[in-house]
Amino acid sequence: MYSALRVLLPESSKNAYSYDVLFFSMLALSAIVVLGVFAVGTIFCIRYRRSRTDVSRTPRVSRNPVLEFSWTLIPFALFLGIYFWGADLYGKLYTPPADAQEVHVVAKQWMWKLQHPNGKREINQLHIPVGKPVLLTMTSEDVIHSFFVPEFRIKRDVVPGRYTQIWFQPTATGVYHLECAEYCGTSHARMRGKIIVMQPDQYADWMRQGETRNTLAQRGRKRFHEFGCTGCHGPKATVHAPSLHNLYGKAVPLADGSVVTADDAYIRDSILLPRKQIAAGYPPIMPSFAGQISEQAIIELIAFLKAGGPTPEESQ
Ligand code: CUA
């Protein structure tokens, strides 16, 4: 059965094999328990049926410590083992390697928009090189979707109003299925795409073709000026706002005494929900850009800040 599955649904990412081993071990363990209970039940029903008088029916056994301890402790050890095994794999599935190449995903009814750091955009398909880890940072423009690639054994919800991440490392070239695995309206079933895994040199060729005029970070710099961010976060600003130069990844002390890391989620919240986390020492005067700025523009602004953000002359 297992080899049939591998033919029907190949394991094409680094963690896919570990995932399958865990899944089939749990399936086998559950099957053993179910079949064992059914087998004993059936045998007893037949052997001790009322019409049989030739079997021994001793009085009810009220205590048998060895039996009781073993039927408690053995399953406990087995399932606790499954728990630690699963937790270990979960940690691996949700901890991307530091060198993973980032791709931004924006889902909407009913398509996938994918974007590479060099500015190249794709709809319903994603080109990536074989053997390199890829980190997806995902959000939705409307309802909850779910990014599902069966051959890679990855699936993660794509939720409006926040970023979720998942990573994978393809192990073989080819074309794989991308499906939406969360019912999201009329055309949910058609919200699908392809993951195209290429040899690194072919991938490099592909990357060089088409739209690569501006990287994400360069487009983010344009947005930074278009949205008037320099009005407060700029050198000539009369308003007292934090400098954004080299902010990304730094610790930011907040007015309430806590400290957050300036990551994608923090920057996103600062743009859309500026009252949520106020930087220590600054008045809460940043206006919310909710409803005025697209997910796309937020991704570009984050890429801009990640690349260093405004220069000291551009910032304050
Ligand atoms: Cu998107 Cu289902």
Side-chain angles (χ1 to χ4, degrees):
M1 189 176 80
Y2 177 59
S3 48
L5 174 110
R6 293 183 69 178
V7 173
L8 286 172
L9 195 55
E11 290 159 340
S12 307
S13 81
K14 198 181 158 198
N15 287 320
Y17 175 72
S18 318
Y19 182 95
D20 280 356
V21 172
L22 176 62
F23 177 79
F24 282 101
S25 303
M26 285 173 65
L27 190 66
L29 185 62
S30 307
I32 290 168
V33 172
V34 168
L35 293 177
V37 169
F38 268 85
V40 171
T42 309
I43 291 166
F44 279 19
C45 280
I46 295 166
R47 182 172 164 84
Y48 295 104
R49 64 187 185 274
R50 185 188 277 202
S51 58
R52 268 192 84 163
T53 49
D54 57 337
V55 289
S56 139
R57 290 188 173 83
T58 53
R60 198 155 64 92
V61 179
S62 64
R63 283 207 68 76
N64 187 336
V66 175
L67 194 62
E68 285 173 26
F69 273 108
S70 43
W71 80 41
T72 307
L73 294 179
I74 293 172
F76 178 71
L78 281 174
F79 286 99
L80 198 65
I82 290 275
Y83 166 76
F84 283 112
W85 184 2
D88 177 58
L89 183 60
Y90 184 91
K92 286 191 186 119
L93 292 177
Y94 287 93
T95 314
D99 62 339
Q101 121 182 25
E102 198 173 7
V103 174
H104 277 95
V105 180
V106 177
K108 60 177 276 192
Q109 290 167 317
W110 289 275
M111 61 161 79
W112 298 102
K113 297 192 281 190
L114 301 111
Q115 182 144 238
H116 298 269
N118 74 349
K120 199 149 174 161
R121 294 185 219 188
E122 304 189 65
I123 302 266
N124 291 342
Q125 47 181 0
L126 174 63
H127 290 75
I128 39 167
V130 68
K132 294 259 170 54
V134 175
L135 172 65
L136 304 173
T137 300
M138 311 186 286
T139 192
S140 165
E141 284 181 5
D142 36 50
V143 299
I144 301 176
H145 304 270
S146 184
F147 193 99
F148 178 36
V149 185
E151 291 97 334
F152 295 166
R153 308 292 191 273
I154 58 159
K155 180 163 78 173
R156 184 110 213 238
D157 277 7
V158 180
V159 184
R162 69 160 75 167
Y163 289 125
T164 53
Q165 292 189 313
I166 189 94
W167 77 278
F168 59 91
Q169 182 170 327
T171 50
T173 56
V175 178
Y176 303 101
H177 299 89
L178 162 60
E179 309 275 350
C180 179
E182 183 73 50
Y183 180 68
C184 55
T186 318
S187 295
H188 156 71
R190 280 186 281 146
M191 186 172 167
R192 56 211 311 207
K194 289 179 199 150
I195 311 281
I196 298 135
V197 178
M198 311 165 94
Q199 289 297 346
D201 50 337
Q202 287 175 329
Y203 171 75
D205 285 347
W206 178 84
M207 261 302 188
R208 276 194 289 273
Q209 296 161 14
E211 178 202 358
T212 47
R213 285 192 311 277
N214 287 309
T215 65
L216 269 187
Q218 284 164 343
R219 291 211 295 260
R221 165 165 279 133
K222 264 175 73 187
R223 301 276 194 186
F224 192 73
H225 290 274
E226 276 166 25
F227 280 98
C229 309
T230 46
C232 299
H233 299 279
K236 297 191 194 77
T238 49
V239 181
H240 187 45
S243 164
L244 304 179
H245 177 62
N246 276 342
L247 170 79
Y248 191 90
K250 298 263 166 63
V252 180
L254 298 182
D256 64 5
S258 60
V259 176
V260 292
T261 304
D263 57 6
D264 293 25
Y266 170 74
I267 294 167
R268 181 200 162 81
D269 283 356
S270 298
I271 296 169
L272 299 177
L273 306 161
R275 299 291 153 97
K276 190 175 146 196
Q277 293 163 312
I278 306 286
Y282 292 93
I285 49 168
M286 162 108 178
S288 167
F289 285 82
Q292 303 170 45
I293 190 167
S294 63
E295 291 296 344
Q296 176 64 37
I298 298 174
I299 289 168
E300 290 168 1
L301 281 168
I302 291 172
F304 171 53
L305 294 184
K306 207 178 256 186
T311 56
E313 301 78 57
E314 237 177 327
S315 191
Q316 53 178 191

